[in-house]
Amino acid sequence: MERMSWALVWLSLAFNLVVAISVCDGQFPAMFVMGDSLVDNGNNNGLSSLAKSNYPPYGIDFQGGPTGRFTNGKTIIDLLGDLLGLPLLPAFTVTFTGQQDIWVGVNYASAAAGILDESGLNLGDRFSLRQQVENFKSTLNQLRNQMEQDTLNQYLAKSLVVINIGSNDYINNYLMPSIYSSSSTYTPEAFAEHLINDYDAQIMALYNLGLRKFLLAAIGPLGCIPNQLAKGFAPPGKCVSAVNDMVEIFNRRLKNLVDQLNHGNYTEAIFVYGNTYGAFNDILGNPATYGFKVVDKGCCGVGRNKGQITCLPFSIPCTNRDEYVFWDAYHPTQAFNKIIAQKAYSGPQSACYPINVKQMAQL
């Protein structure tokens, strides 16, 4: 019993040191991530789901090969972590053994997940945003066993929360009228409002658990991804404007929500809007500036523009991956992710509003 209490003392001291060092460095002690396949790092591997990527050629440029990341290499989160001096985060589903270091944070993101519980159901099991918040509570219980409450409060308040979600509420819900009734129930404006209300509730749940620094990513221009282009609803060289118009309604409401939260009575909290949509459009409109040559098809995949489905197991991808914006029908390449991570970390207000992640860390 005495040995156990001494162990808890040492753990608490260690956490205090981690928090103190991170504050001095102007960075974060940890990063907690929620979202969908754009930032998933393997949480779907053990689920009964069609939304998996733990097989080649996924991870072809990632040290260690396929892990469940939906790209050829690192995700935006991995690359943002590099800029923050954080190691690769463990996926939530592998943190129960006690062998994973959860001090640096945890990734709860799940491919096919949406803000709404029902989004992505057509692809099988996944952790919706609501369930991801519940999963964070499990991690919180683990952390409570490893440090005193005062230390935990400081640690949570200084940590970064990144949420990148919403795409599946459109791709695998609103834009699938044969399966979901949402498009006949809601106008695009009403649907966006419905999503934002649910999103706000989960953000507040995380705030009430002690988290204070939030990066909320916009939905990218879904009308420009190979999956949507393959449907033939837009002329060659153009994006599906109707889809992008819907997404922009959501993004405007999300940015408004950020303003409301920052002007609300939320003690010592900061909420930041990551303008993924704007950054994506800039890259698509000026690909050569960023080193890209192919913007309308995946590096691997099947069908028109390789946009019908994700990469088939052991299929052969393109060799010039750094010249492609898209890795498969839905997801960008590591080269693209690196640009977005850098914009989030140190970009201007047009990329990260009202401040960037580097500035956030100094608060």
Side-chain angles (χ1 to χ4, degrees):
M1 190 74 170
E2 186 177 342
R3 286 183 180 177
M4 182 172 287
S5 70
W6 271 110
L8 287 172
V9 169
W10 281 110
L11 278 170
S12 183
L13 288 172
F15 270 107
N16 272 316
L17 183 61
V18 168
V19 173
I21 290 173
S22 68
V23 171
C24 290
D25 286 348
Q27 301 284 347
F28 304 93
M31 177 165 57
F32 297 98
V33 179
M34 297 177 190
D36 51 33
S37 56
L38 292 170
V39 291
D40 187 356
N41 66 344
N43 281 305
N44 276 29
N45 291 354
L47 299 183
S48 178
S49 172
L50 295 174
K52 293 185 182 183
S53 61
N54 55 340
Y55 56 83
Y58 288 97
I60 190 172
D61 298 311
F62 188 84
Q63 187 174 4
T67 58
R69 289 167 169 81
F70 286 76
T71 186
N72 58 304
K74 289 185 173 184
T75 67
I76 294 170
I77 294 301
D78 298 329
L79 294 159
L80 182 59
D82 289 344
L83 293 168
L84 293 171
L86 292 171
L88 294 174
L89 303 180
F92 168 74
T93 52
V94 300
T95 61
F96 301 112
T97 62
Q99 297 175 339
Q100 293 289 333
D101 181 6
I102 62 172
W103 292 14
V104 296
V106 176
N107 188 329
Y108 305 89
S110 176
I115 296 168
L116 304 179
D117 284 349
E118 63 268 24
S119 295
L121 180 63
N122 51 298
L123 294 173
D125 292 343
R126 68 262 172 263
F127 298 118
S128 67
L129 179 58
R130 181 189 58 79
Q131 185 58 57
Q132 290 177 43
V133 173
E134 291 299 315
N135 291 345
F136 172 73
K137 292 178 183 178
S138 297
T139 300
L140 204 50
N141 287 333
Q142 287 181 272
L143 292 171
R144 287 193 182 105
N145 292 329
Q146 297 178 16
M147 69 178 95
E148 295 178 353
Q149 190 62 47
D150 287 347
T151 305
L152 177 59
N153 291 344
Q154 186 181 7
Y155 165 84
L156 292 174
K158 293 295 182 182
S159 296
L160 175 65
V161 187
V162 182
I163 309 180
N164 188 332
I165 203 161
S167 295
N168 288 303
D169 294 293
Y170 288 93
I171 296 174
N172 287 302
N173 188 330
Y174 198 79
L175 296 174
M176 298 187 78
S178 61
I179 299 176
Y180 299 94
S181 62
S182 52
S183 60
S184 59
T185 305
Y186 299 96
T187 64
E189 291 79 9
F191 187 64
E193 194 65 30
H194 178 40
L195 293 178
I196 291 296
N197 289 339
D198 278 32
Y199 200 175
D200 185 23
Q202 299 309 322
I203 293 168
M204 287 298 96
L206 293 170
Y207 174 86
N208 290 331
L209 291 170
L211 295 166
R212 293 293 181 267
K213 297 187 176 184
F214 294 81
L215 173 60
L216 310 175
I219 301 175
L222 298 179
C224 301
I225 66 174
N227 167 262
Q228 291 298 305
L229 297 179
K231 297 180 185 299
F233 295 148
K238 300 291 185 180
C239 298
V240 184
S241 58
V243 173
N244 283 348
D245 290 345
M246 292 178 196
V247 169
E248 284 197 276
I249 295 169
F250 172 88
N251 287 339
R252 284 195 296 271
R253 279 167 168 71
L254 180 59
K255 189 176 181 183
N256 288 341
L257 176 63
V258 163
D259 278 333
Q260 291 169 24
L261 293 173
N262 282 328
H263 289 93
N265 188 27
Y266 300 106
T267 308
E268 297 180 353
I270 178 69
F271 303 87
V272 170
Y273 171 77
N275 188 12
T276 315
Y277 188 98
F280 217 127
N281 267 347
D282 188 42
I283 292 170
L284 293 177
N286 306 281
T289 303
Y290 295 94
F292 295 112
K293 292 183 178 179
V294 185
V295 301
D296 59 350
K297 63 185 66 174
C299 177
C300 74
V302 175
R304 181 184 177 187
N305 292 333
K306 295 191 175 180
Q308 298 297 118
I309 57 174
T310 52
C311 308
L312 293 174
F314 300 99
S315 58
I316 306 300
C318 65
T319 55
N320 54 333
R321 294 181 281 278
D322 286 348
E323 296 178 352
Y324 276 68
V325 168
F326 295 101
W327 163 246
D328 64 14
Y330 304 91
H331 308 100
T333 58
Q334 176 180 259
F336 174 91
N337 289 337
K338 187 174 183 179
I339 296 167
I340 299 300
Q342 188 65 58
K343 284 180 179 289
Y345 180 69
S346 59
Q349 269 199 347
S350 59
C352 225
Y353 170 87
I355 59 175
N356 59 42
V357 173
K358 186 177 181 180
Q359 293 166 329
M360 249 172 111
Q362 296 164 357
L363 296 177

